Amino acid sequence: MIKKCIGCGSILQDKEENKIGYTYSLDKDLCNRCFRIRNYSEYTKMDRPNNEYIDIIKNINKTDDLVLLVVDIFMIPKNIDEIFKYINNNVLLVLTKRDVLPLSIKNENIEIGIRKKFKNIIDYELISSLKNYNLDSLFEKINKYKKSKNVYVVGFTNAGKSTLINKIIYNYSDSNLEITTSIMPSTTLDTIKIDINDNLTLIDTPGLLVENSLMDKVTSKELKKIMPKNEIRPITYQIKEKQYIVVEDYIILEVSDVSLTIYASNSLKIDRKYKIKEYYSNIHDLKVNNQLVIEGLLYINFNKETNVKIYSKYNIDVYSRERLW
Ligand SMILES: Nc1nc2c(ncn2[C@@H]2O[C@H](COP(=O)(O)OP(=O)(O)OP(=O)(O)O)[C@@H](O)[C@H]2O)c(=O)[nH]1
Ligand SMILES: [Mg+2]
């Protein structure tokens, strides 16, 4: 009989120690990797090719089950729309991690931006799993829109899908199951079915990989600094002559004659400099309309269209986009 790890969904096996699903005894419910993440916060990188994750999402198309698309409101990936290529199901958009976005950004403005960006959704909810914010309202919407017992939870890696499901289990079911969550990408490796009640089964799925994201280049220790833990304090600079903004040892931004506001984790070291001794080899020269995104690290709002030069330690996506709010 096939037995799946209750933490990450992978099929348990006791043969190959370095492969997915390894456990030294098939009597266990957790694979070794999940056991180590949970008990020692020790993460072993163990991912599958992105096309296998895409195939899992595509399979949902064969059903008319409701889909919850979970999106990290601070790190909306560049290719977020890709998901709509794979599924035609009804999509309830769940914007999560509201707790890290500054409260000075009004929910009404977020709603306007979201309605403009996501045209193919039946509804949306702005939540924080961490703070239990709007979870009752989300749970009502799930019950309102679901067409069948099964509801799929999809999104990009690290969006907070499994954390949300754990919260729903805790709040609204008698079960004490817990899915493995972590700060590193590709924590969930296969589908995990969770019965919330007789009429509702949530199905967790592995997150699609974010292309060229800093998330994939750094250690878990670094990621702890990069991922905001609490409300972001935006940093504004008025820049006249040519200056440099340095973010840890990840990027150097070269700008002049502009006002900019940086949204990034409060734990990151951000400095303004007039001279730079050493640059990085990945160079991006681009015109930014009003928002610059460094994938997996931060975004910066500009008061006007401007030319910027970015030196990046790693080969990651750097691009301009229309700000949503
Ligand atoms: N601040 C904050 N962090 C959150 C919230 N929800 C999840 N996180 C964090 O986001 C990280 C990723 O969470 P997961 O639930 O493992 O993400 P996932 O979408 O299941 O990721 P994959 O399994 O890789 O697809 C963890 O460090 C969580 O603690 C939230 O509401 N607020
Ligand atoms: Mg997960």
Side-chain angles (χ1 to χ4, degrees):
M1 204 193 77
I2 289 178
K3 189 174 168 191
K4 283 180 131 191
C5 169
I6 56 164
C8 67
S10 61
I11 294 168
L12 289 172
Q13 52 92 10
D14 59 359
K15 302 281 182 293
E16 292 177 273
E17 207 171 331
N18 298 321
K19 293 232 166 110
I20 287 173
Y22 177 77
T23 168
Y24 56 89
S25 159
L26 289 172
D27 294 335
K28 304 275 178 214
D29 294 322
L30 278 183
C31 70
N32 267 21
R33 171 176 169 269
C34 281
F35 183 83
R36 302 192 82 79
I37 295 175
R38 290 174 182 220
N39 293 292
Y40 311 118
S41 298
E42 209 181 277
Y43 183 94
T44 330
K45 191 150 175 65
M46 201 113 27
D47 50 11
R48 298 167 60 189
N50 201 31
N51 63 318
E52 292 186 19
Y53 299 146
I54 292 173
D55 286 342
I56 291 173
I57 307 285
K58 279 184 178 162
N59 263 321
I60 304 172
N61 224 346
K62 296 176 186 154
T63 71
D64 67 350
D65 299 329
L66 176 68
V67 167
L68 300 192
L69 170 57
V70 179
V71 177
D72 176 339
I73 193 168
F74 173 63
M75 285 186 183
I76 302 177
K78 189 180 179 185
N79 50 339
I80 183 72
D81 295 328
E82 196 185 318
I83 299 253
F84 294 98
K85 284 201 296 205
Y86 309 130
I87 46 171
N88 281 315
N89 307 54
N90 280 346
V91 171
L92 172 55
L93 176 69
V94 182
L95 286 170
T96 188
K97 310 194 190 178
R98 176 62 182 101
D99 55 297
V100 306
L101 262 207
L103 280 171
S104 56
I105 300 174
K106 298 264 178 301
N107 283 0
E108 297 87 76
N109 292 342
I110 295 176
E111 164 144 20
I112 293 167
I114 288 307
R115 295 281 180 201
K116 227 192 289 173
K117 167 126 187 86
F118 295 92
K119 298 271 197 286
N120 297 324
I121 54 170
I122 47 166
D123 205 345
Y124 92 102
E125 189 64 65
L126 186 56
I127 67 156
S128 160
S129 303
L130 213 71
K131 301 274 169 179
N132 228 339
Y133 172 70
N134 276 350
L135 285 216
D136 284 352
S137 170
L138 172 64
F139 197 62
E140 267 172 38
K141 285 186 181 167
I142 294 172
N143 286 305
K144 176 174 161 195
Y145 293 116
K146 75 186 178 66
K147 292 185 173 171
S148 45
K149 193 174 163 184
N150 289 342
V151 173
Y152 284 86
V153 182
V154 311
F156 279 79
T157 185
N158 247 1
K161 299 177 290 302
S162 304
T163 307
L164 168 62
I165 295 175
N166 282 341
K167 209 67 191 196
I168 293 178
I169 299 172
Y170 184 83
N171 287 353
Y172 312 108
S173 87
D174 301 328
S175 162
N176 50 15
L177 277 177
E178 206 183 315
I179 303 173
T180 306
T181 64
S182 88
I183 199 154
M184 295 298 280
S186 297
T187 307
T188 307
L189 294 171
D190 209 334
T191 54
I192 307 172
K193 278 190 165 197
I194 305 272
D195 291 322
I196 301 298
N197 57 44
D198 291 346
N199 303 312
L200 176 64
T201 299
L202 290 180
I203 302 161
D204 196 5
T205 63
L208 302 187
L209 302 181
V210 184
E211 275 173 29
N212 306 318
S213 168
L214 184 64
M215 208 167 35
D216 291 322
K217 320 275 180 191
V218 297
T219 61
S220 57
K221 195 173 156 212
E222 289 179 277
L223 209 49
K224 276 188 192 136
K225 271 181 124 178
I226 293 169
M227 302 266 288
K229 277 170 290 298
N230 30 45
E231 189 184 334
I232 289 168
R233 289 188 302 273
I235 304 168
T236 298
Y237 292 107
Q238 316 284 347
I239 307 228
K240 295 218 167 65
E241 69 274 36
K242 187 157 69 174
Q243 284 174 22
Y244 303 88
I245 309 290
V246 181
V247 182
E248 291 271 340
D249 60 349
Y250 300 122
I251 58 155
I252 299 167
L253 178 80
E254 184 182 306
V255 275
S256 47
D257 184 33
V258 78
S259 160
L260 58 86
T261 304
I262 305 176
Y263 293 81
S265 161
N266 302 333
S267 316
L268 287 169
K269 189 170 169 332
I270 300 177
D271 289 317
R272 182 215 296 247
K273 298 221 158 110
Y274 294 88
K275 254 194 205 136
I276 292 289
K277 287 198 194 92
E278 218 181 317
Y279 296 89
Y280 300 119
S281 56
N282 296 288
I283 303 172
H284 302 258
D285 236 325
L286 70 158
K287 182 176 277 186
V288 179
N289 184 0
N290 55 23
Q291 191 170 71
L292 174 75
V293 183
I294 317 279
E295 197 77 291
L297 179 65
L298 52 75
Y299 66 82
I300 304 174
N301 289 345
F302 291 84
N303 66 335
K304 61 173 188 191
E305 191 178 274
T306 187
N307 289 313
V308 296
K309 199 164 180 179
I310 298 107
Y311 304 89
S312 161
K313 180 174 172 186
Y314 299 105
N315 181 16
I316 53 176
D317 268 348
V318 173
Y319 57 96
S320 162
R321 75 176 170 202
E322 201 61 42
R323 56 187 278 196
L324 291 173
W325 45 80

